[in-house]
Coordinates of all heavy atoms in Angstrom, one line a residue:
M1 N 44.9 32.7 -50.4 CA 45.1 32.0 -49.2 C 44.6 30.5 -49.3 O 43.4 30.4 -49.7 CB 44.5 32.7 -48.0 CG 44.8 32.2 -46.7 SD 44.1 33.0 -45.2 CE 45.0 34.6 -45.2
D2 N 45.4 29.6 -49.0 CA 44.9 28.2 -49.1 C 44.0 27.8 -47.9 O 43.9 28.6 -47.0 CB 46.0 27.2 -49.3 CG 47.0 27.2 -48.1 OD1 46.5 27.4 -46.9 OD2 48.2 27.0 -48.3
E3 N 43.4 26.7 -48.0 CA 42.4 26.3 -46.9 C 43.1 26.1 -45.5 O 42.5 26.5 -44.5 CB 41.8 25.0 -47.3 CG 40.8 25.1 -48.5 CD 39.7 26.1 -48.2 OE1 39.1 26.1 -47.1 OE2 39.5 27.0 -49.0
I4 N 44.3 25.6 -45.5 CA 45.0 25.5 -44.2 C 45.3 26.9 -43.7 O 45.1 27.1 -42.4 CB 46.3 24.7 -44.4 CG1 46.1 23.3 -44.9 CG2 47.2 24.7 -43.2 CD1 45.3 22.4 -43.9
S5 N 45.7 27.8 -44.5 CA 46.0 29.1 -44.0 C 44.8 29.8 -43.5 O 44.8 30.5 -42.5 CB 46.6 30.0 -45.1 OG 47.9 29.5 -45.5
K6 N 43.7 29.6 -44.2 CA 42.4 30.2 -43.7 C 42.0 29.6 -42.4 O 41.5 30.3 -41.5 CB 41.3 29.9 -44.8 CG 41.4 30.7 -46.0 CD 40.3 30.3 -47.0 CE 40.5 31.0 -48.3 NZ 39.5 30.5 -49.3
L7 N 42.2 28.3 -42.3 CA 41.8 27.6 -41.0 C 42.7 28.2 -39.9 O 42.1 28.5 -38.8 CB 42.0 26.1 -41.2 CG 41.6 25.2 -40.0 CD1 41.1 23.9 -40.6 CD2 42.8 25.0 -39.1
R8 N 44.0 28.2 -40.1 CA 44.9 28.7 -39.1 C 44.5 30.2 -38.7 O 44.5 30.5 -37.5 CB 46.3 28.6 -39.5 CG 46.9 27.2 -39.6 CD 48.3 27.2 -40.3 NE 49.2 28.2 -39.7 CZ 50.0 28.0 -38.7 NH1 50.1 26.8 -38.2 NH2 50.8 28.9 -38.3
T9 N 44.3 31.0 -39.7 CA 44.0 32.4 -39.4 C 42.7 32.5 -38.6 O 42.6 33.3 -37.6 CB 43.8 33.2 -40.7 OG1 45.1 33.1 -41.4 CG2 43.4 34.6 -40.5
A10 N 41.7 31.7 -38.9 CA 40.4 31.7 -38.2 C 40.6 31.3 -36.8 O 40.1 32.0 -35.9 CB 39.4 30.8 -38.9
V11 N 41.3 30.3 -36.6 CA 41.6 29.8 -35.2 C 42.4 30.8 -34.4 O 42.0 31.1 -33.2 CB 42.2 28.4 -35.2 CG1 42.7 28.0 -33.8 CG2 41.3 27.3 -35.8
Y12 N 43.5 31.3 -34.9 CA 44.3 32.3 -34.2 C 43.5 33.6 -33.9 O 43.6 34.2 -32.9 CB 45.6 32.6 -34.9 CG 46.7 31.6 -34.7 CD1 47.2 30.9 -35.8 CD2 47.1 31.3 -33.4 CE1 48.2 30.0 -35.5 CE2 48.1 30.4 -33.2 CZ 48.7 29.7 -34.2 OH 49.6 28.8 -34.0
S13 N 42.6 33.9 -34.9 CA 41.8 35.1 -34.7 C 40.8 34.9 -33.5 O 40.6 35.8 -32.7 CB 41.0 35.5 -35.9 OG 41.8 35.9 -36.9
R14 N 40.2 33.7 -33.4 CA 39.3 33.4 -32.3 C 40.1 33.4 -31.0 O 39.6 33.9 -30.0 CB 38.7 32.0 -32.5 CG 37.8 31.6 -31.4 CD 36.5 32.4 -31.3 NE 35.6 31.8 -30.3 CZ 34.6 32.4 -29.8 NH1 34.3 33.6 -30.3 NH2 33.8 31.8 -28.9
L15 N 41.3 32.8 -31.0 CA 42.1 32.8 -29.7 C 42.4 34.3 -29.3 O 42.4 34.6 -28.1 CB 43.3 32.0 -29.9 CG 43.0 30.5 -30.0 CD1 44.3 29.8 -30.3 CD2 42.4 29.9 -28.7
D16 N 42.8 35.1 -30.3 CA 43.1 36.5 -30.0 C 41.9 37.2 -29.4 O 42.0 38.0 -28.5 CB 43.5 37.2 -31.3 CG 44.9 36.8 -31.8 OD1 45.6 36.1 -31.0 OD2 45.2 37.1 -32.9
Y17 N 40.7 36.9 -30.0 CA 39.4 37.5 -29.5 C 39.2 37.1 -28.1 O 38.9 38.0 -27.2 CB 38.3 37.1 -30.4 CG 37.0 37.4 -29.9 CD1 36.4 38.7 -29.9 CD2 36.2 36.4 -29.3 CE1 35.2 38.9 -29.3 CE2 34.9 36.6 -28.8 CZ 34.4 37.9 -28.8 OH 33.2 38.1 -28.2
L18 N 39.4 35.8 -27.8 CA 39.2 35.4 -26.4 C 40.2 36.0 -25.4 O 39.8 36.4 -24.3 CB 39.2 33.8 -26.4 CG 38.1 33.1 -27.1 CD1 38.4 31.6 -27.2 CD2 36.7 33.4 -26.5
D19 N 41.4 36.1 -25.9 CA 42.4 36.8 -25.0 C 42.0 38.3 -24.7 O 42.2 38.7 -23.6 CB 43.8 36.8 -25.7 CG 44.5 35.4 -25.6 OD1 44.0 34.6 -24.7 OD2 45.4 35.2 -26.3
I20 N 41.5 38.9 -25.7 CA 41.1 40.3 -25.5 C 39.9 40.4 -24.5 O 39.9 41.2 -23.6 CB 40.7 41.0 -26.9 CG1 41.9 41.2 -27.7 CG2 39.9 42.3 -26.6 CD1 41.7 41.5 -29.2
I21 N 38.9 39.5 -24.7 CA 37.8 39.5 -23.8 C 38.3 39.2 -22.4 O 37.9 39.9 -21.4 CB 36.8 38.3 -24.2 CG1 36.2 38.7 -25.5 CG2 35.7 38.2 -23.1 CD1 35.3 39.9 -25.6
V22 N 39.1 38.2 -22.2 CA 39.6 37.9 -20.8 C 40.4 39.1 -20.2 O 40.2 39.4 -19.1 CB 40.6 36.7 -20.9 CG1 41.3 36.5 -19.6 CG2 39.7 35.4 -21.2
G23 N 41.1 39.8 -21.1 CA 41.9 41.0 -20.5 C 41.1 42.2 -20.4 O 41.5 43.1 -19.5
E24 N 40.1 42.4 -21.1 CA 39.4 43.8 -21.2 C 37.9 43.8 -20.8 O 37.4 44.9 -20.5 CB 39.6 44.4 -22.6 CG 41.1 44.6 -22.9 CD 41.3 45.1 -24.3 OE1 40.3 45.5 -24.9 OE2 42.4 45.2 -24.8
A25 N 37.3 42.7 -20.8 CA 35.8 42.7 -20.6 C 35.5 42.8 -19.1 O 36.3 42.5 -18.3 CB 35.2 41.4 -21.2
D26 N 34.3 43.2 -18.9 CA 33.8 43.3 -17.4 C 33.5 41.9 -17.0 O 33.4 40.9 -17.8 CB 32.6 44.2 -17.3 CG 31.4 43.8 -18.1 OD1 31.3 42.6 -18.4 OD2 30.6 44.6 -18.5
E27 N 33.3 41.7 -15.7 CA 33.1 40.4 -15.1 C 31.9 39.7 -15.6 O 31.9 38.5 -15.8 CB 33.1 40.5 -13.5 CG 34.4 41.0 -12.9 CD 35.5 40.0 -13.2 OE1 35.4 38.8 -13.2 OE2 36.6 40.5 -13.5
A28 N 30.8 40.4 -15.8 CA 29.6 39.8 -16.4 C 29.8 39.2 -17.7 O 29.4 38.1 -18.1 CB 28.4 40.8 -16.4
S29 N 30.6 39.9 -18.6 CA 30.8 39.4 -19.9 C 31.8 38.2 -19.9 O 31.6 37.2 -20.6 CB 31.5 40.5 -20.8 OG 30.6 41.6 -20.9
K30 N 32.8 38.3 -19.0 CA 33.7 37.1 -18.8 C 32.9 35.9 -18.4 O 33.1 34.8 -18.8 CB 34.8 37.4 -17.8 CG 35.8 38.4 -18.3 CD 36.8 38.6 -17.2 CE 37.7 39.8 -17.5 NZ 38.7 40.1 -16.4
S31 N 32.0 36.1 -17.4 CA 31.2 35.0 -16.9 C 30.3 34.4 -18.0 O 30.2 33.1 -18.1 CB 30.4 35.5 -15.7 OG 29.6 34.4 -15.2
A32 N 29.7 35.2 -18.7 CA 28.8 34.7 -19.8 C 29.7 34.0 -20.9 O 29.3 32.9 -21.4 CB 28.1 35.9 -20.5
L33 N 30.8 34.5 -21.1 CA 31.7 33.8 -22.1 C 32.2 32.5 -21.6 O 32.2 31.5 -22.3 CB 32.9 34.7 -22.4 CG 33.9 34.2 -23.5 CD1 33.2 34.3 -24.9 CD2 35.1 35.1 -23.5
A34 N 32.5 32.4 -20.3 CA 33.0 31.2 -19.7 C 32.0 30.1 -19.8 O 32.4 28.9 -20.0 CB 33.4 31.4 -18.2
D35 N 30.7 30.4 -19.7 CA 29.7 29.4 -19.7 C 29.8 28.6 -21.1 O 29.5 27.4 -21.0 CB 28.3 30.0 -19.6 CG 28.0 30.4 -18.2 OD1 28.7 30.0 -17.3 OD2 27.0 31.2 -18.0
T36 N 30.1 29.2 -22.1 CA 30.2 28.5 -23.4 C 31.6 28.1 -23.8 O 31.8 27.0 -24.2 CB 29.6 29.4 -24.6 OG1 30.4 30.6 -24.6 CG2 28.2 29.7 -24.4
V37 N 32.5 29.0 -23.5 CA 33.9 28.7 -24.0 C 34.6 27.5 -23.2 O 35.3 26.7 -23.8 CB 34.8 30.0 -23.9 CG1 36.2 29.6 -24.3 CG2 34.2 31.0 -25.0
I38 N 34.3 27.5 -21.9 CA 34.9 26.4 -21.1 C 34.5 25.0 -21.7 O 35.3 24.1 -21.9 CB 34.7 26.5 -19.6 CG1 35.4 27.7 -19.1 CG2 35.0 25.2 -18.9 CD1 35.1 28.0 -17.6
T39 N 33.2 24.9 -22.0 CA 32.7 23.6 -22.6 C 33.3 23.4 -23.9 O 33.7 22.3 -24.3 CB 31.1 23.7 -22.7 OG1 30.6 23.9 -21.4 CG2 30.6 22.4 -23.3
Q40 N 33.5 24.4 -24.7 CA 34.1 24.3 -26.0 C 35.6 23.8 -25.9 O 36.1 23.0 -26.6 CB 34.1 25.6 -26.8 CG 32.7 26.0 -27.3 CD 32.7 27.4 -27.9 OE1 33.6 28.2 -27.7 NE2 31.6 27.7 -28.7
M41 N 36.3 24.4 -24.9 CA 37.7 24.1 -24.7 C 37.9 22.7 -24.2 O 38.8 22.0 -24.6 CB 38.3 25.2 -23.8 CG 38.5 26.5 -24.4 SD 39.5 26.6 -25.9 CE 39.2 28.2 -26.5
T42 N 37.0 22.3 -23.2 CA 37.2 20.9 -22.7 C 36.8 19.9 -23.8 O 37.5 18.9 -24.0 CB 36.3 20.7 -21.5 OG1 35.0 20.9 -21.8 CG2 36.8 21.5 -20.3
G43 N 35.9 20.3 -24.6 CA 35.5 19.4 -25.8 C 36.7 19.3 -26.8 O 37.0 18.2 -27.3
A44 N 37.3 20.4 -27.0 CA 38.4 20.5 -28.0 C 39.6 19.7 -27.4 O 40.2 18.9 -28.1 CB 38.8 21.9 -28.2
W45 N 39.9 19.8 -26.1 CA 41.0 19.1 -25.6 C 40.7 17.6 -25.6 O 41.6 16.8 -25.9 CB 41.2 19.5 -24.1 CG 42.2 20.6 -24.0 CD1 42.0 21.9 -23.6 CD2 43.6 20.6 -24.3 NE1 43.1 22.6 -23.6 CE2 44.1 21.9 -24.0 CE3 44.5 19.6 -24.7 CZ2 45.5 22.2 -24.2 CZ3 45.8 19.9 -24.9 CH2 46.3 21.1 -24.6
R46 N 39.5 17.2 -25.2 CA 39.2 15.7 -25.3 C 39.3 15.2 -26.7 O 39.8 14.0 -26.8 CB 37.7 15.5 -24.7 CG 37.6 15.8 -23.3 CD 36.2 15.5 -22.8 NE 36.0 15.9 -21.4 CZ 36.4 15.3 -20.3 NH1 37.0 14.1 -20.5 NH2 36.2 15.8 -19.1
E47 N 38.8 15.9 -27.7 CA 38.9 15.4 -29.0 C 40.4 15.3 -29.5 O 40.8 14.3 -30.1 CB 38.1 16.3 -30.0 CG 37.9 15.8 -31.4 CD 37.0 16.7 -32.2 OE1 36.0 17.2 -31.6 OE2 37.3 16.8 -33.4
L48 N 41.2 16.3 -29.2 CA 42.5 16.3 -29.5 C 43.3 15.2 -28.8 O 44.1 14.5 -29.5 CB 43.2 17.7 -29.2 CG 44.6 17.9 -29.5 CD1 44.8 17.8 -31.0 CD2 45.1 19.3 -29.0
L49 N 43.0 15.0 -27.5 CA 43.7 14.0 -26.8 C 43.3 12.6 -27.3 O 44.2 11.7 -27.3 CB 43.5 14.1 -25.3 CG 44.1 15.4 -24.7 CD1 43.7 15.6 -23.2 CD2 45.7 15.3 -24.7
A50 N 42.1 12.4 -27.6 CA 41.6 11.1 -28.2 C 42.4 10.8 -29.5 O 42.7 9.6 -29.7 CB 40.1 11.2 -28.5
A51 N 42.7 11.8 -30.3 CA 43.4 11.6 -31.5 C 44.8 11.2 -31.2 O 45.5 10.6 -32.0 CB 43.4 12.8 -32.4
H52 N 45.3 11.5 -30.0 CA 46.7 11.3 -29.7 C 46.8 10.2 -28.6 O 47.8 10.0 -28.0 CB 47.4 12.5 -29.2 CG 47.6 13.5 -30.3 ND1 48.9 13.5 -31.0 CD2 46.9 14.4 -30.9 CE1 48.8 14.4 -31.9 NE2 47.6 14.9 -31.9
D53 N 45.7 9.4 -28.4 CA 45.8 8.3 -27.5 C 46.8 7.3 -28.0 O 46.8 7.0 -29.1 CB 44.4 7.6 -27.3 CG 43.6 8.1 -26.1 OD1 44.3 8.8 -25.2 OD2 42.5 7.8 -26.0
P54 N 47.6 6.8 -27.0 CA 48.6 5.8 -27.5 C 47.9 4.5 -27.9 O 46.9 4.1 -27.3 CB 49.5 5.6 -26.2 CG 48.6 6.0 -25.1 CD 47.7 7.1 -25.6
D55 N 48.5 3.8 -28.8 CA 48.1 2.5 -29.2 C 48.5 1.4 -28.1 O 49.1 1.8 -27.1 CB 48.5 2.1 -30.6 CG 50.0 1.9 -30.8 OD1 50.7 1.9 -29.8 OD2 50.4 1.8 -31.9
E56 N 48.3 0.2 -28.4 CA 48.6 -0.9 -27.4 C 50.1 -1.0 -27.2 O 50.6 -1.6 -26.2 CB 48.0 -2.2 -27.9 CG 48.6 -2.8 -29.2 CD 48.0 -2.1 -30.4 OE1 47.0 -1.4 -30.3 OE2 48.6 -2.3 -31.5
R57 N 50.9 -0.4 -28.1 CA 52.4 -0.4 -27.9 C 52.9 0.9 -27.4 O 54.2 1.1 -27.3 CB 53.1 -0.8 -29.3 CG 52.6 -2.1 -29.8 CD 53.1 -2.4 -31.2 NE 54.4 -3.0 -31.0 CZ 55.2 -3.3 -32.0 NH1 54.8 -3.0 -33.3 NH2 56.3 -3.9 -31.8
G58 N 52.0 1.8 -27.0 CA 52.4 3.0 -26.4 C 52.8 4.1 -27.5 O 53.4 5.1 -27.1
R59 N 52.5 3.9 -28.7 CA 52.9 4.8 -29.8 C 51.7 5.7 -30.0 O 50.5 5.3 -30.1 CB 53.2 4.1 -31.1 CG 54.4 3.2 -30.9 CD 54.7 2.4 -32.1 NE 55.8 1.6 -31.9 CZ 56.2 0.6 -32.7 NH1 55.5 0.3 -33.7 NH2 57.3 -0.1 -32.4
C60 N 51.9 7.0 -30.2 CA 50.9 8.0 -30.5 C 50.3 7.7 -31.9 O 51.1 7.6 -32.9 CB 51.4 9.4 -30.4 SG 50.1 10.6 -30.9
R61 N 49.0 7.6 -32.0 CA 48.3 7.3 -33.3 C 48.5 8.4 -34.3 O 48.5 8.2 -35.5 CB 46.9 7.0 -33.0 CG 46.6 5.8 -32.1 CD 45.1 5.7 -31.8 NE 44.9 4.8 -30.6 CZ 44.8 3.5 -30.7 NH1 45.0 2.9 -31.9 NH2 44.6 2.8 -29.6
A62 N 48.7 9.6 -33.8 CA 48.8 10.8 -34.7 C 50.2 11.2 -34.9 O 50.6 11.5 -36.1 CB 48.0 12.0 -34.1
C63 N 51.0 11.3 -33.9 CA 52.4 11.8 -34.0 C 53.4 10.7 -34.6 O 54.2 11.1 -35.4 CB 52.9 12.3 -32.7 SG 52.1 13.7 -32.0
S64 N 53.2 9.5 -34.1 CA 54.3 8.5 -34.4 C 53.7 7.1 -34.5 O 54.0 6.3 -33.7 CB 55.3 8.6 -33.3 OG 56.3 7.7 -33.5
P65 N 52.8 6.9 -35.5 CA 52.2 5.6 -35.5 C 53.1 4.4 -35.9 O 52.8 3.3 -35.6 CB 51.1 5.7 -36.6 CG 51.5 6.9 -37.4 CD 52.3 7.8 -36.5
W66 N 54.3 4.7 -36.5 CA 55.1 3.6 -37.0 C 56.4 3.5 -36.2 O 57.2 2.6 -36.5 CB 55.5 3.8 -38.5 CG 54.2 3.7 -39.3 CD1 53.6 2.6 -39.6 CD2 53.5 4.8 -39.9 NE1 52.4 2.9 -40.3 CE2 52.4 4.2 -40.5 CE3 53.7 6.2 -39.9 CZ2 51.5 5.0 -41.2 CZ3 52.7 6.9 -40.6 CH2 51.7 6.3 -41.3
R67 N 56.7 4.5 -35.3 CA 57.9 4.4 -34.6 C 57.7 4.8 -33.1 O 56.8 5.6 -32.8 CB 59.0 5.2 -35.2 CG 58.7 6.7 -35.3 CD 59.8 7.4 -36.1 NE 59.3 8.7 -36.5 CZ 59.4 9.8 -35.7 NH1 60.0 9.8 -34.5 NH2 58.9 11.0 -36.1
P68 N 58.5 4.3 -32.2 CA 58.3 4.6 -30.8 C 58.5 6.1 -30.6 O 59.3 6.8 -31.3 CB 59.4 3.9 -30.1 CG 59.8 2.8 -31.1 CD 59.5 3.3 -32.4
L69 N 57.8 6.7 -29.6 CA 57.9 8.1 -29.3 C 59.2 8.5 -28.6 O 59.5 9.7 -28.6 CB 56.7 8.5 -28.5 CG 55.4 8.7 -29.3 CD1 54.2 8.8 -28.3 CD2 55.5 9.9 -30.2
G70 N 59.8 7.6 -27.9 CA 61.0 7.9 -27.1 C 60.6 8.3 -25.7 O 59.4 8.2 -25.3
R71 N 61.5 8.8 -25.0 CA 61.3 9.0 -23.5 C 60.3 10.1 -23.3 O 59.6 10.1 -22.3 CB 62.6 9.4 -22.9 CG 63.6 8.2 -22.8 CD 64.8 8.6 -22.0 NE 64.6 9.8 -21.3 CZ 65.5 10.4 -20.6 NH1 66.7 9.9 -20.5 NH2 65.3 11.5 -19.9
T72 N 60.2 11.1 -24.2 CA 59.4 12.3 -23.9 C 58.0 12.1 -24.2 O 57.1 12.9 -23.8 CB 60.0 13.5 -24.7 OG1 60.0 13.3 -26.1 CG2 61.4 13.9 -24.1
G73 N 57.6 11.1 -25.1 CA 56.3 10.9 -25.4 C 55.7 11.9 -26.4 O 56.4 12.6 -27.0
C74 N 54.3 11.9 -26.4 CA 53.6 12.7 -27.4 C 53.6 14.2 -26.9 O 53.2 14.5 -25.7 CB 52.2 12.2 -27.5 SG 51.0 13.3 -28.3
S75 N 53.9 15.1 -27.8 CA 54.0 16.5 -27.4 C 52.6 17.1 -27.1 O 52.5 18.0 -26.3 CB 54.6 17.3 -28.6 OG 53.8 17.3 -29.7
V76 N 51.5 16.6 -27.7 CA 50.2 17.0 -27.3 C 49.8 16.7 -25.9 O 49.3 17.5 -25.1 CB 49.2 16.4 -28.3 CG1 47.7 16.7 -27.9 CG2 49.4 17.0 -29.7
W77 N 50.2 15.5 -25.5 CA 49.9 15.1 -24.1 C 50.8 15.9 -23.1 O 50.4 16.3 -22.0 CB 50.1 13.5 -23.9 CG 48.9 12.8 -24.3 CD1 48.6 12.3 -25.5 CD2 47.7 12.6 -23.5 NE1 47.3 11.7 -25.5 CE2 46.8 11.9 -24.3 CE3 47.4 13.0 -22.2 CZ2 45.5 11.6 -23.8 CZ3 46.1 12.6 -21.7 CH2 45.2 11.9 -22.5
R78 N 52.1 16.1 -23.5 CA 52.9 16.9 -22.6 C 52.4 18.3 -22.5 O 52.4 18.9 -21.4 CB 54.3 17.0 -23.2 CG 55.1 15.7 -23.0 CD 56.6 15.9 -23.2 NE 57.0 16.7 -24.3 CZ 57.2 16.3 -25.6 NH1 57.0 15.0 -25.9 NH2 57.5 17.1 -26.6
T79 N 51.9 18.9 -23.6 CA 51.3 20.3 -23.6 C 50.0 20.3 -22.7 O 49.9 21.2 -21.9 CB 51.0 20.7 -25.0 OG1 52.2 20.8 -25.7 CG2 50.4 22.1 -25.0
A80 N 49.2 19.3 -22.9 CA 48.0 19.2 -22.1 C 48.3 19.1 -20.6 O 47.7 19.8 -19.8 CB 47.1 18.0 -22.5
H81 N 49.3 18.3 -20.2 CA 49.7 18.2 -18.8 C 50.3 19.5 -18.3 O 49.9 19.9 -17.2 CB 50.7 17.0 -18.7 CG 51.0 16.7 -17.2 ND1 52.0 17.4 -16.5 CD2 50.4 15.9 -16.4 CE1 52.0 16.9 -15.3 NE2 51.0 16.0 -15.2
R82 N 51.1 20.1 -19.1 CA 51.7 21.4 -18.6 C 50.6 22.4 -18.4 O 50.6 23.1 -17.3 CB 52.7 21.9 -19.7 CG 53.5 23.2 -19.2 CD 54.5 23.6 -20.1 NE 54.0 24.2 -21.3 CZ 54.1 23.8 -22.5 NH1 54.8 22.7 -22.8 NH2 53.5 24.4 -23.5
H83 N 49.7 22.6 -19.3 CA 48.6 23.7 -19.2 C 47.5 23.3 -18.2 O 47.0 24.2 -17.5 CB 48.1 24.0 -20.5 CG 49.0 24.8 -21.4 ND1 49.1 26.1 -21.3 CD2 49.8 24.4 -22.3 CE1 50.1 26.5 -22.2 NE2 50.5 25.5 -22.8
L84 N 47.1 22.0 -18.2 CA 45.9 21.7 -17.4 C 46.3 21.2 -16.0 O 45.4 21.3 -15.1 CB 45.1 20.6 -18.2 CG 44.6 21.0 -19.5 CD1 44.0 19.8 -20.2 CD2 43.6 22.1 -19.4
I85 N 47.5 20.7 -15.8 CA 47.8 20.1 -14.5 C 48.9 21.0 -13.9 O 48.7 21.5 -12.8 CB 48.4 18.7 -14.7 CG1 47.3 17.8 -15.4 CG2 48.7 18.1 -13.3 CD1 46.0 17.7 -14.7
T86 N 50.1 21.2 -14.5 CA 51.2 21.9 -13.9 C 50.8 23.3 -13.6 O 50.9 23.9 -12.5 CB 52.4 21.7 -14.7 OG1 52.7 20.3 -15.0 CG2 53.6 22.4 -14.0
D87 N 50.4 24.1 -14.7 CA 50.1 25.5 -14.6 C 48.9 25.7 -13.7 O 48.9 26.6 -12.9 CB 49.8 26.1 -15.9 CG 51.1 26.2 -16.8 OD1 52.2 25.9 -16.3 OD2 51.0 26.6 -18.0
A88 N 47.9 24.7 -13.7 CA 46.7 24.9 -12.9 C 47.1 24.7 -11.4 O 46.6 25.4 -10.6 CB 45.7 23.8 -13.3
A89 N 48.0 23.9 -11.1 CA 48.5 23.7 -9.7 C 49.2 24.9 -9.2 O 49.1 25.2 -8.0 CB 49.4 22.4 -9.6
E90 N 49.9 25.5 -10.1 CA 50.7 26.7 -9.7 C 49.8 27.9 -9.5 O 50.1 28.8 -8.7 CB 51.8 27.0 -10.7 CG 52.9 26.0 -10.8 CD 53.9 26.2 -11.9 OE1 53.7 27.2 -12.6 OE2 54.8 25.4 -12.0
G91 N 48.7 27.9 -10.2 CA 47.7 29.0 -10.0 C 48.1 30.2 -10.9 O 49.2 30.3 -11.4
P92 N 47.1 31.1 -11.1 CA 47.4 32.3 -11.9 C 48.4 33.2 -11.2 O 48.4 33.4 -10.0 CB 46.0 33.0 -12.0 CG 45.2 32.4 -10.9 CD 45.8 31.1 -10.5
G93 N 49.3 33.7 -12.1 CA 50.2 34.7 -11.6 C 51.4 34.2 -10.8 O 52.2 34.9 -10.2
T94 N 51.5 32.9 -10.7 CA 52.6 32.3 -9.9 C 53.8 31.8 -10.8 O 53.6 31.7 -11.9 CB 52.2 31.1 -9.1 OG1 51.6 30.1 -9.9 CG2 51.3 31.5 -8.0
Ligands
ZN101 ZN1 50.7 12.7 -30.4

């Protein structure tokens, strides 16, 4: 397995683990996990979004440094908006 595959497997395994905890753990375990994981997740989002901040011409530094992004913009920012703003406004289970 190459390094990229190992990295991907490790990250997906961690996400699977967190999904299991959220779905199956008791409230005390979830609360303890939230204390650390929320900080990790907000840090990860900030770092990822910083890498995709637009330059002075509105081009994503990571996705499209040499050409315009077009009307839809950077997919990382669209994903962040959908998960952190749109889905959050709709609330769980809606
Ligand atoms: Zn981007």
Side-chain angles (χ1 to χ4, degrees):
M1 185 181 291
D2 62 32
E3 291 301 314
I4 298 295
S5 295
K6 288 179 187 174
L7 183 147
R8 289 173 47 93
T9 298
V11 170
Y12 278 123
S13 294
R14 177 68 173 167
L15 292 172
D16 290 345
Y17 167 76
L18 294 173
D19 283 342
I20 290 169
I21 295 294
V22 167
E24 299 178 8
D26 59 28
E27 293 302 317
S29 297
K30 290 180 193 177
S31 180
L33 184 69
D35 284 345
T36 58
V37 172
I38 289 173
T39 301
Q40 290 172 341
M41 292 297 169
T42 57
W45 270 111
R46 289 182 191 281
E47 191 172 322
L48 183 61
L49 292 171
H52 288 264
D53 262 348
D55 65 13
E56 63 282 350
R57 302 175 87 183
R59 297 173 181 169
C60 175
R61 299 172 195 276
C63 295
S64 181
W66 297 285
R67 59 185 165 87
L69 284 166
R71 290 183 17 182
T72 57
C74 169
S75 65
V76 171
W77 276 96
R78 285 196 318 271
T79 300
H81 188 271
R82 186 176 72 243
H83 286 277
L84 299 173
I85 307 299
T86 306
D87 290 355
E90 292 174 359
T94 56

